[in-house]
Amino acid sequence: MKRTSLAIFTALVCASAPFVGQALAQPAEASPPSGQLDRFVGDGTCTGNVMAMDKHPGHATTGKFHGEKTLDGHWVGIRYDEDTTTANPKPFSVVQYIGYDKAKKRFIAVTFDNSGAPYSMGTSQGWQGNAITFDERAEGVEGLVFRDTFTNGDSGMSSHTGTMKDKHGKWVKTDEETCRKA
């Protein structure tokens, strides 16, 4: 029985190999429409505030961001690192990858940070004027739902606002930064 299963599996793999090779040989199109990921590319600085929540006091923030296209231009990776200050002894760092799902016609984001949450995934229907909002869920943290909204000015990314649902389902602001390209 094991030999028969192995023989069938081998035949299926061999039969599908030309199709897989043909699919891999196709040139990849740029993922997002009209190069919309370009809006996230560049370097800059941000200043803002983290709002007080639960037992955590609010505080001012400063930080740097770097955004670059990656994976043949299909994704943009954005890294943001806050500066260590007396008021912010454990600065926030995040890496967010943004791409475009052509099949579902929406932007997607996968985010990793140093907060202790494993990661989050989110989607956006796209730019509304100069803003794009991602509705996200933290994986492995029940009920943690939040939004990241980015705005874009003449010189690129100009602000970020984070909000999350509180225990009553109301959206509350968690942080807000104004950014300037370097």
Side-chain angles (χ1 to χ4, degrees), residues 46-53 56-63 80-82 88 91-94 96 111 113 115 134 136 144-151 157-165 171-179:
C46 301
T47 58
N49 290 291
V50 170
M51 309 318 169
M53 291 184 292
H56 303 285
H59 60 272
T61 61
T62 59
Y80 173 71
D81 295 297
E82 288 180 348
N88 189 15
F92 184 68
S93 291
V94 61
Q96 187 168 39
T111 307
D113 65 43
S115 72
F134 289 91
E136 301 181 55
L144 183 54
V145 179
F146 58 97
R147 288 184 172 150
D148 278 322
T149 300
F150 299 93
T151 61
M157 189 164 54
S158 61
S159 73
H160 166 264
T161 302
T163 55
M164 70 183 235
K165 281 193 175 181
W171 288 103
V172 295
K173 192 181 295 185
T174 58
D175 61 289
E176 186 170 47
E177 296 83 30
T178 300
C179 303

Side-chain angles (χ1 to χ4, degrees), residues 61-137:
T61 61
T62 59
K64 295 175 180 62
F65 72 86
H66 171 75
E68 67 182 25
K69 285 189 175 183
T70 186
L71 300 171
D72 296 329
H74 294 280
W75 291 84
V76 167
I78 304 167
R79 181 171 181 104
Y80 173 71
D81 295 297
E82 288 180 348
D83 299 323
T84 302
T85 64
T86 304
N88 189 15
K90 294 181 181 178
F92 184 68
S93 291
V94 61
V95 176
Q96 187 168 39
Y97 292 93
I98 299 174
Y100 186 74
D101 181 340
K102 288 191 288 189
K104 294 185 179 179
K105 294 182 173 41
R106 64 185 183 184
F107 287 86
I108 55 177
V110 181
T111 307
F112 307 91
D113 65 43
N114 66 341
S115 72
Y119 64 95
S120 64
M121 295 182 3
T123 61
S124 174
Q125 294 306 310
W127 291 90
Q128 303 296 317
N130 71 338
I132 188 169
T133 299
F134 289 91
D135 290 320
E136 301 181 55
R137 292 192 178 278

Side-chain angles (χ1 to χ4, degrees), residues 6-29:
L6 181 60
I8 292 171
F9 176 74
T10 303
L12 287 172
V13 169
C14 291
S16 66
F19 299 108
V20 172
Q22 184 180 33
L24 292 175
Q26 296 295 322
E29 291 181 35

